Amino acid sequence: MEKDKKDKLMVTADFVRKASMEVRLVKPDDFFAEPISMDQEQLLDILEQVFNNPDFADIKTIHGSESQYFYSSNHMTESYAKMLVRIEDKDLLKMVAETVRHESKIYPRPTDGKLFSTSPFSFNAEQLDDVVSQLKNQENYQDIQETRASNGAMYLYSNRFMTREHAIALTEWIEVLQHETS
Amino acid sequence: MSQDERKGFLERETTRREFLKLAGKGMAGAAVSVSFLSMLGFTHESEAVAAFALSQGVLIADRNRCTGCQRCELNCTSLNDGKVQPFISRVKVSRNYNYGVDGPKLSYWKEDGQYGNLLMTPETCKQCKDPACANACPMGAIIADPKTGARIVVKEDCVGCGSCTKACPWHLPTVDPETKKSSKCVLCGMCASNCPTSALNIIPWEDVKVAMIRRGYMLG
Amino acid sequence: MTKVGGWTGKILRVNLTNGKISTEDTIKYKDFIGGMGIGYKVMFDEVPAGTKAFDENNKIIFGAGPLTGSGAPCSSRTNITSLLPSNPYNAVSDSHMGGNFAAMMKYAGWDAIIVEGASSKPVWLRIEDDQVSLEDASAVWGQGIFKSTAEIASIIGNEASIAAIGQAGENMVNLSVIMNGTSHSAGGHGGVLGSKKLKAIAIKGTGAVHIAAHKYELLKLNEYMMKEIIGANNQHVVPRTPQPWAEYHNSGSRWLSRKGLYWGGAETPIETGENPPGDMKKVGFRTMKAVMDLGPVAEKYTIRMGGCQSCPIRCHSQLKVPHLEKYGLSPYVSNTCVGFSGPNGVMIKGVTDQFEEGDKSMMGKIVGAQLTDDYGVWCNYGLIGKDFKYAYNTGILKKVLPKEEYESIPWDKLEAGDPAFLLDFYRRIAFKEGELSHLGDGTYWIAQRWNYGDDFWHGNDYGVWSPLGFPKHHANESGSQVGALISCMFNRDAQCHSHMNFIGSGLPIAIQKEIAAEVWGSPDAIDEPANYTPMNEYKAKFAKWSIIRNCLHDSLTLCNWMWPMTVSPVMARNYRGDTALEAKFLSLITGEQISEEDLDLAGERIFTLHRALTVKQMGTIDMRTKHDVMNDWVYDVDPDKKAFTPGTIKMDRNDMQIALTMFYKEMGWDEKTGAPTKETLIRLGLQDVANELESLKLLP
């Protein structure tokens, strides 16, 4: 019985680890399907044991707006998992806004618009323009502002964390000046 | 040796012998064919890759990945000689760095080497079946290591005459000007484990065996 | 020197006037470690004040140090010390070249090579271990670096490492280089070798760098650095794009490797991939610099990356671009950073696409690099392009060039953005053809000759940092007053990356500030980028530490583009690097235990010696107003903004004077003038230097 239980924990954990190695988050639905094929109650029971067992300390959970997700910190950092969650949630405005706020706060830097066409993101320029114009019309995203470098590249920043002057100077530095000599 | 270790060793030896037959030249250091390499998971297109048979597995030297950092040489002598002396390194790339194996020609700018086509080759001992170095040694100081099969120099018997260097078609054994003793590759694998661009790799015999059986080169 | 590890114990002295070749004991310079330290001491002791760069009395020292050739990562760097002809006082400077030369010098048994006097006819120096001779160079005199190197190699042997000058050095062009390999060039001193008619130094070494410690100790330390500490080029420790293994990323990071980015010109393209820390066998893929320096178009032409002996980072791009053959050049080209963009700076109207869409980001740079690497022309860290731009834009060229010469220059190519313009331009520079070629004299001299106005020095467009005629090179745009101070302290652009590497590491500001507090005493040592604050003592400590480490690296020798290891890419280490790593390597290799603090003291000694040399050569103790001066644009840019407000990197005049005072205090120099005091010189073991300066009345 003990061994059986232990095996189930290992299988669950390895399932999450393998997904993380393949750069995928795991949703509860994934456990219900083949090959794990648990039901809701079994899943809750297993998960409680996993989270309490130091052997599986790398198995983490993270919440999106619609769902809970699982990943292994052996193969993925929390900040990367957060990026995937934002993508999974499919709320594009929230995804862009949260990313921009995060970068404006911690680095601090305005966010290069090209980030959103870089893996794991997959916008094209039109899609991004569309999102940016929608953001301008939403009350809870009024802090998200746009700047342009001298070569026309678009950057976004949050005025909660950065003044416009600061964002303008950093945009030009990041996009143009740091690549020039002298 | 335990029963298991013995079995493993014999299996490795068998695979190694079968590999040497496949490589077909009696010495496992020449360029290896494309199809054979693709069996091992390498998809290179030409003779850019050479393969050498070590005790733990096959040493593959991929000159497309070699960036000329020479850390293979630095690590080789650090481990085997306790000093840093690329001249006596058992894997040799710095002597090919500038103008390739053949040296500067009038057309140097398009030949091998940093001053030419930017390609350089890490060379090491081919562990010849009939080693010219051992045959030339007047003291019989080059023997086959009973465990690994590598052709090694027994330092106590070496008198530093340099016959081994001259006899080897690739001039790989090198007499250390400080100690007056010759040395050559002992198959330690240090070069491979320290190459920053994985230009030198050891494919374990276990993996080679699986690939060879799958392709029908060996019976399982 | 009694046998210790690291040093060979021997210095080679070559007198080109009388042909005498002799050996000296390195012990005399032990307190100066090696490299730059030996160079400055020889210059101070042996070269009289008032000597000019091309005088027979000038000397040039090729220095290595105890770590050179030891296999420590990034340890094959040659430090070259001599007088600098482009400096108005011909003051002392050091130039550096990576590649294989320094390591080979050690294996041949030499810690340094001192070249003095001048030969009456062209020679090259042949070193095969302890067999040293001067050979006739008449067959190669007049040839470019690539051809000369091949010809000399066919005499001395395939495996020799050869440092040479091109026609620019031979013709004593101020802006000329000494180069080994195909891209490792040291700027400013080519003409010194030219004035001595020394075409090249070729070395073969079969000996060893001995290690005092047990080999396992050294191998363990190497593995620790390779697995836990080392990042990518410039010790950037986060990848350029978001990657699952990383918490952070930064679009300016030199950790470019990712899925889908290849060494596209390899026989079978090799993916750079994701290379998290811990795997020693993939470190060399992290810095795919070709696309950073030359644009996305360069990916498919990149055969591999490359660089210096012992370095796992491989920051020099190696390309095959068939388009180059259309210019009569080899399709194979290698270089990095300003080695590409500096020569291209002469294309002041930009470059247009020449053969395919998007190649404009590449063509001018690779044509420029190929030409200048063969002629051996230096760009003055890119300022040659600005010097040219000013003369062109203000109509000076039309005025100063004789009509015939003006009309012979292919201006149409320049206007069209055609890099073929550079074929003509650099030939003129290298062979001193006509008035235009005086651009090869360097900024200070050309600005005098052609009467450049204040708008050149003090306007925003040219980036001329100092009235002494050198550009900014990680100045106030890199760490506010810290970068500004560092940029003032040498006799050319500072070439110091200690501070820049840290500031650009890619980590969030909170972590940077924590680490700053640990290393320099307070989080206030660094500011947020473009959001600066007034000067404080911790910034002075940071500036001092940065320069001292830079001097140490140029003495040990280690590459200052990588070292110091202030941070690490490893999350489990909280991104902490290991600032004691230089001392650890040195202790192991030499067998003489030295602490981080004591090693820094040696660096302080070496840098103060540089200052003493500068005082002596400029004949004044007033460093503050005669030397440590920044041009006005640094203060006057962004006229509608105040300094130390978000969005501007401008400096403030009063604040900068405070900064200098604080820095002088940190160094133990006179707080009024910035000259080394007798007390400090004695404290640092430079009694003889103090005596000399006293006799010249140059002590504060």
Side-chain angles (χ1 to χ4, degrees):
Chain A
M1 190 55 177
E2 266 307 309
K3 187 172 184 295
D4 196 38
K5 256 231 155 86
K6 224 175 172 207
D7 282 344
K8 264 212 146 56
L9 292 185
M10 184 62 86
V11 165
T12 309
D14 281 350
F15 182 73
V16 174
R17 286 167 182 157
K18 181 162 185 285
S20 290
M21 275 205 300
E22 294 164 5
V23 198
R24 285 182 293 111
L25 296 171
V26 172
K27 290 202 288 285
D29 275 356
D30 298 329
F31 291 116
F32 304 149
E34 297 275 321
I36 305 283
S37 308
M38 282 184 219
D39 64 40
Q40 183 118 339
E41 208 184 294
Q42 285 171 314
L43 177 63
L44 287 171
D45 182 43
I46 290 285
L47 285 176
E48 196 188 318
Q49 294 180 63
V50 162
F51 290 130
N52 285 323
N53 187 325
D55 285 348
F56 306 117
D58 61 303
I59 308 299
K60 308 280 187 197
T61 187
I62 183 170
H63 289 273
S65 54
E66 305 289 315
S67 174
Q68 190 184 17
Y69 302 94
F70 306 94
Y71 70 97
S72 162
S73 62
N74 286 347
H75 303 290
M76 195 184 287
T77 58
E78 188 186 348
S79 41
Y80 197 85
K82 274 193 182 141
M83 255 186 262
L84 293 182
V85 167
R86 287 181 192 134
I87 294 168
E88 285 284 326
D89 279 352
K90 295 193 173 38
D91 181 341
L92 302 183
L93 299 188
K94 186 165 177 231
M95 180 183 97
V96 170
E98 285 189 353
T99 304
V100 170
R101 285 169 184 157
H102 176 73
E103 298 210 335
S104 291
K105 182 178 179 200
I106 71 160
Y107 285 105
R109 66 186 183 220
T111 301
D112 185 350
K114 296 187 280 298
L115 174 65
F116 297 106
S117 53
T118 307
S119 170
F121 303 108
S122 56
F123 282 177
N124 60 36
E126 272 149 22
Q127 287 168 315
L128 182 61
D129 281 340
D130 193 43
V131 167
V132 170
S133 44
Q134 285 185 58
L135 281 170
K136 290 182 173 145
N137 293 326
Q138 295 253 344
E139 200 186 306
N140 45 337
Y141 296 132
Q142 286 304 298
D143 62 305
I144 308 299
Q145 299 286 313
E146 191 186 313
T147 60
R148 294 267 168 184
S150 58
N151 64 0
M154 177 182 65
Y155 280 63
L156 298 166
Y157 70 100
S158 165
N159 64 17
R160 277 186 207 167
F161 303 106
M162 193 181 285
T163 65
R164 182 154 191 81
E165 297 298 331
H166 196 191
I168 289 172
L170 283 175
T171 297
E172 189 63 12
W173 167 253
I174 294 169
E175 180 67 21
V176 180
L177 297 174
Q178 73 171 330
H179 304 295
E180 288 178 353
T181 53
S182 265
Chain B
M1 228 193 250
S2 75
Q3 197 60 4
D4 271 349
E5 282 171 340
R6 224 185 151 71
K7 183 157 182 277
F9 179 75
L10 288 171
E11 281 189 355
R12 283 205 298 282
E13 254 314 294
T14 310
T15 308
R16 185 171 174 276
R17 271 190 257 118
E18 294 302 313
F19 171 80
L20 290 175
K21 279 193 216 153
L22 252 189
K25 309 206 181 195
M27 53 190 168
V32 179
S33 77
V34 172
S35 59
F36 184 71
L37 281 172
S38 69
M39 174 184 84
L40 297 173
F42 281 77
T43 52
H44 305 284
E45 280 176 9
S46 76
E47 294 191 23
V49 177
F52 308 95
L54 305 191
S55 59
Q56 322 94 289
V58 184
L59 172 63
I60 306 248
D62 181 358
R63 83 196 207 119
N64 283 316
R65 286 168 185 255
C66 179
T67 63
C69 75
Q70 302 155 65
R71 287 195 70 75
C72 49
E73 296 188 344
L74 297 168
N75 278 289
C76 172
T77 69
S78 293
L79 177 67
N80 290 297
D81 306 293
K83 54 180 176 167
V84 187
Q85 193 176 358
F87 180 69
I88 63 168
S89 171
R90 297 143 187 82
V91 57
K92 296 195 188 292
V93 69
S94 60
R95 69 181 192 182
N96 307 324
Y97 183 94
N98 294 318
Y99 298 104
V101 174
D102 295 331
K105 305 196 182 101
L106 272 178
S107 54
Y108 66 87
W109 58 273
K110 58 179 177 157
E111 306 296 338
D112 280 0
Q114 181 65 38
Y115 287 97
N117 64 19
L118 304 168
L119 295 175
M120 48 200 69
T121 307
E123 294 180 282
T124 191
C125 174
K126 286 103 173 70
Q127 307 297 351
C128 299
K129 198 164 154 209
D130 190 22
C133 57
N135 293 341
C137 177
M139 311 304 295
I142 298 183
I143 61 165
D145 183 300
K147 250 183 92 185
T148 64
R151 283 77 173 92
I152 60 169
V153 176
V154 179
K155 295 271 196 277
E156 295 73 43
D157 298 338
C158 172
V159 296
C161 67
S163 303
C164 50
T165 311
K166 291 198 200 75
C168 170
W170 302 276
H171 310 301
L172 286 163
T174 309
V175 177
D176 182 346
E178 291 189 352
T179 63
K180 305 287 188 278
K181 299 285 183 187
S182 179
S183 62
K184 57 182 298 305
C185 178
V186 298
L187 301 185
C188 70
M190 188 68 173
C191 53
S193 53
N194 279 280
C195 175
T197 51
S198 305
L200 294 166
N201 291 291
I202 298 172
I203 313 292
W205 284 120
E206 286 71 23
D207 293 350
V208 177
K209 180 182 176 185
V210 167
M212 285 172 84
I213 288 171
R214 202 189 302 130
R215 288 290 196 95
Y217 290 114
M218 268 178 85
L219 297 175
Chain C
M1 206 181 217
T2 51
K3 213 83 183 113
V4 295
W7 290 280
T8 66
K10 292 181 347 189
I11 292 177
L12 179 66
R13 184 180 289 266
V14 179
N15 187 310
L16 295 173
T17 306
N18 59 27
K20 178 157 174 260
I21 293 168
S22 55
T23 304
E24 296 175 9
D25 196 322
T26 311
I27 190 91
K28 182 175 172 194
Y29 302 99
K30 186 108 179 286
D31 290 340
F32 301 93
I33 299 180
M36 180 201 263
I38 296 178
Y40 289 159
K41 194 65 172 60
V42 169
M43 294 302 287
F44 192 93
D45 290 347
E46 301 183 24
V47 179
T51 307
K52 296 282 174 260
F54 300 148
D55 290 348
E56 195 175 333
N57 278 341
N58 184 22
K59 308 200 181 194
I60 182 164
I61 302 101
F62 293 75
L67 293 188
T68 313
S70 69
C74 326
S75 59
S76 178
R77 200 151 169 81
T78 314
N79 189 96
I80 301 174
T81 309
S82 191
L83 302 178
L84 184 68
S86 52
N87 175 287
Y89 299 90
N90 277 209
V92 74
S93 79
D94 46 291
S95 59
H96 322 102
M97 50 180 196
N100 301 332
F101 189 85
M104 190 64 97
M105 196 164 75
K106 290 291 295 289
Y107 303 137
W110 306 104
D111 289 323
I113 302 169
I114 302 170
V115 177
E116 56 193 18
S119 171
S120 55
K121 47 186 179 55
V123 291
W124 59 276
L125 183 61
R126 179 178 189 158
I127 302 173
E128 297 186 58
D129 292 326
D130 55 358
Q131 300 304 306
V132 183
S133 57
L134 286 164
E135 306 287 330
D136 174 26
S138 51
V140 287
W141 193 258
Q143 312 250 33
I145 291 176
F146 296 138
K147 187 106 186 289
S148 315
T149 303
E151 297 215 17
I152 291 171
S154 66
I155 299 172
I156 187 176
N158 182 21
E159 61 271 42
S161 183
I162 301 170
I165 56 175
Q167 296 95 337
E170 290 179 13
N171 294 325
M172 293 187 282
V173 175
N174 287 359
L175 297 190
S176 59
V177 307
I178 301 165
M179 191 170 86
N180 86 94
T182 56
S183 56
H184 302 288
S185 60
H189 293 133
V192 174
L193 283 193
S195 70
K196 296 180 182 307
K197 293 220 166 25
L198 179 59
K199 177 67 174 173
I201 303 179
I203 311 186
K204 264 173 29 179
T206 65
V209 169
H210 286 274
I211 312 297
H214 190 275
K215 63 192 180 187
Y216 290 151
E217 297 293 324
L218 182 63
L219 291 171
K220 231 170 49 187
L221 191 63
N222 262 306
E223 199 174 315
Y224 159 67
M225 180 169 172
M226 289 290 290
K227 284 186 172 169
E228 291 191 49
I229 305 290
I230 204 163
N233 184 222
N234 284 182
Q235 191 54 2
H236 287 177
V237 294
V238 312
R240 186 172 264 231
T241 55
Q243 294 180 17
W245 60 269
E247 275 194 288
Y248 309 110
H249 72 276
N250 181 17
S251 66
S253 173
R254 292 171 181 215
W255 194 314
L256 288 105
S257 61
R258 60 173 167 81
K259 293 190 180 146
L261 180 65
Y262 291 83
W263 292 355
E267 204 166 38
T268 306
I270 294 170
E271 194 178 36
T272 57
E274 291 178 6
N275 305 300
D279 186 350
M280 293 197 295
K281 297 193 62 165
K282 302 246 207 90
V283 174
F285 289 114
R286 292 175 183 168
T287 299
M288 196 329 196
K289 197 125 186 304
V291 294
M292 177 172 171
D293 289 339
L294 305 171
V297 69
E299 183 181 354
K300 61 181 182 288
Y301 298 114
T302 306
I303 291 185
R304 59 172 175 85
M305 296 301 297
C308 311
Q309 191 248 35
S310 79
C311 180
I313 297 300
R314 323 317 290 144
C315 74
H316 280 232
S317 306
Q318 318 284 329
L319 302 108
K320 178 181 184 186
V321 187
H323 306 324
L324 283 169
E325 297 188 274
K326 299 256 172 33
Y327 300 96
L329 301 170
S330 164
Y332 298 102
V333 65
S334 39
N335 221 308
T336 194
C337 275
V338 179
F340 282 128
S341 59
N344 184 59
V346 167
M347 297 301 295
I348 58 178
K349 298 291 189 184
V351 177
T352 51
D353 285 346
Q354 298 296 311
F355 304 100
E356 60 179 298
E357 192 185 328
D359 76 7
K360 65 181 185 224
S361 60
M362 175 177 79
M363 286 316 299
K365 292 170 185 168
I366 58 177
V367 169
Q370 193 77 285
L371 289 166
T372 54
D373 285 345
D374 197 30
Y375 285 135
V377 171
W378 185 38
C379 65
N380 196 8
Y381 197 70
L383 210 46
I384 193 175
K386 300 286 168 66
D387 299 340
F388 177 55
K389 180 176 173 182
Y390 181 80
Y392 184 93
N393 285 348
T394 55
I396 283 175
L397 283 178
K398 259 226 163 88
K399 267 192 270 177
V400 302
L401 299 183
K403 188 164 180 292
E404 216 179 283
E405 183 183 340
Y406 189 89
E407 283 169 6
S408 73
I409 295 167
W411 302 111
D412 55 326
K413 294 203 166 75
L414 181 69
E415 302 279 342
D418 179 355
F421 178 78
L422 298 176
L423 294 162
D424 177 88
F425 182 88
Y426 284 116
R427 191 201 68 246
R428 291 172 192 262
I429 300 286
F431 289 98
K432 286 192 166 173
E433 288 176 18
E435 183 64 27
L436 185 76
S437 73
H438 281 280
L439 284 166
D441 297 349
T443 303
Y444 179 84
W445 302 113
I446 196 64
Q448 267 201 346
R449 185 183 179 92
W450 290 351
N451 227 337
Y452 283 17
D454 275 352
D455 55 333
F456 171 74
W457 295 98
H458 301 293
N460 232 14
D461 298 332
Y462 303 98
V464 191
W465 182 258
S466 163
L468 298 175
F470 55 82
K472 70 179 195 280
H473 186 170
H474 309 312
N476 62 309
E477 80 284 3
S478 314
S480 64
Q481 296 94 338
V482 176
L485 283 167
I486 291 169
S487 292
C488 291
M489 288 301 145
F490 290 87
N491 295 318
R492 52 164 284 182
D493 57 298
Q495 304 179 96
C496 175
H497 297 79
S498 320
H499 62 303
M500 184 58 221
N501 294 351
F502 174 72
I503 289 161
S505 71
L507 294 168
I509 191 73
I511 298 179
Q512 304 251 78
K513 280 187 172 274
E514 275 174 19
I515 295 174
E518 290 158 22
V519 186
W520 307 297
S522 159
D524 298 338
I526 66 160
D527 289 331
E528 277 184 4
N531 189 7
Y532 292 165
T533 63
M535 185 61 190
N536 64 64
E537 64 175 298
Y538 302 101
K539 290 182 182 183
K541 290 182 197 300
F542 184 12
K544 173 185 174 183
W545 186 92
S546 298
I547 293 182
I548 281 173
R549 285 295 166 115
N550 173 240
C551 292
L552 269 182
H553 299 151
D554 289 338
S555 305
L556 281 165
T557 63
L558 294 171
C559 180
N560 186 243
W561 292 351
M562 280 302 300
W563 294 76
M565 301 286 134
T566 323
V567 291
S568 122
V570 176
M571 199 163 87
R573 289 181 66 90
N574 281 326
Y575 304 102
R576 271 34 176 194
D578 186 344
T579 57
L581 208 43
E582 293 96 324
K584 287 179 185 172
F585 269 107
L586 190 61
S587 301
L588 273 187
I589 285 163
T590 62
E592 298 176 340
Q593 285 302 114
I594 186 163
S595 67
E596 185 180 356
E597 292 72 27
D598 285 343
L599 190 54
D600 281 347
L601 193 64
E604 202 174 322
R605 176 180 307 124
I606 294 164
F607 179 50
T608 294
L609 178 55
H610 175 277
R611 191 67 155 181
L613 254 169
T614 302
V615 162
K616 181 174 164 184
Q617 287 170 336
M618 288 178 69
T620 174
I621 60 168
D622 188 7
M623 293 285 100
R624 184 189 285 269
T625 68
K626 297 279 191 314
H627 185 275
D628 303 340
V629 182
M630 293 148 49
N631 286 324
D632 289 344
W633 59 270
V634 185
Y635 305 110
D636 297 336
V637 72
D638 297 338
D640 52 329
K641 295 198 174 85
K642 279 173 70 173
F644 316 128
T645 59
T648 179
I649 59 167
K650 70 193 292 182
M651 296 280 95
D652 173 271
R653 287 174 171 82
N654 289 335
D655 182 82
M656 198 61 215
Q657 292 306 311
I658 293 171
L660 284 169
T661 308
M662 285 190 181
F663 183 80
Y664 298 157
K665 183 160 179 232
E666 287 295 325
M667 293 304 307
W669 299 342
D670 174 50
E671 286 183 38
K672 182 160 158 281
T673 60
T677 61
K678 188 172 180 176
E679 291 71 31
T680 292
L681 288 165
I682 291 173
R683 172 175 66 87
L684 293 171
L686 296 170
Q687 175 79 64
D688 55 338
V689 173
N691 293 344
E692 167 86 358
L693 288 178
E694 192 161 35
S695 71
L696 294 168
K697 298 199 180 2
L698 289 174
L699 281 179

